[in-house]
Amino acid sequence: MPLIRIAEAASLLGVSDDTVRRWVDAGALTAVKDASGRAAVDGAELAELARRQASAPRDTSGVARSARNSFVGLVTNVIEDRVMAQVELQCGPYRVVSLMSSEAVRDLGLEPGSVATAVVKATTVIVETPGGKAP
């Protein structure tokens, strides 16, 4: 069972250490002592809590799609030249950057402050872990 210290758990979930301690006090998480004698929580239990607590803005586009990774957010920046554009969205705690044609930016009416949905469909997703074994 991977143990995650309270401060790291708080950082991963974007809350304060005190919030994680309150969750422990309320029974939402179980605190244990790690090898150093510090308070920690079980990684799997934390992941389940994160899943239950997750709240992303609702996609109100009414569009059905096969891609399961969609992120609703606010356009925060558009950098555009004659042909291409870089569009940045803030989707909850995540910054999503998309490169597209300037024509698409105009057609979609993308500008800072507009609401948009980033849809990600990739055949390759790289996952890294600290301390993993390199080949």
Side-chain angles (χ1 to χ4, degrees):
M1 129 174 115
L3 293 179
I4 299 174
R5 290 185 178 164
I6 298 292
E8 185 180 5
S11 175
L12 289 167
L13 296 183
V15 298
S16 70
D17 297 11
D18 288 338
T19 297
V20 175
R21 287 186 187 93
R22 280 193 292 277
W23 288 338
V24 168
D25 291 344
L29 287 172
T30 306
V32 296
K33 298 288 183 188
D34 67 8
S36 301
R38 295 184 180 157
V41 295
D42 173 74
E45 191 177 343
L46 183 65
E48 181 56 33
L49 177 70
R51 216 175 282 116
R52 287 193 316 266
Q53 297 279 341
S55 62
R58 203 167 64 90
D59 183 354
T60 58
S61 68
V63 174
R65 61 179 63 95
S66 64
R68 295 295 173 235
N69 301 311
S70 62
F71 307 95
V72 178
L74 284 172
V75 175
T76 57
N77 196 20
V78 178
I79 301 169
E80 190 175 357
D81 66 19
R82 283 186 35 231
V83 178
M84 294 299 294
Q86 175 180 309
V87 178
E88 297 180 22
L89 293 93
Q90 191 66 41
C91 303
Y94 303 105
R95 176 178 169 259
V96 178
V97 178
S98 178
L99 302 176
M100 64 183 73
S101 70
S102 293
E103 179 181 12
V105 168
R106 289 187 299 275
D107 289 349
L108 294 171
L110 297 174
E111 62 184 5
S114 59
V115 175
T117 302
V119 179
V120 180
K121 181 100 179 185
T123 57
T124 303
V125 175
I126 297 169
V127 177
E128 301 176 337
T129 61
K133 296 179 181 176

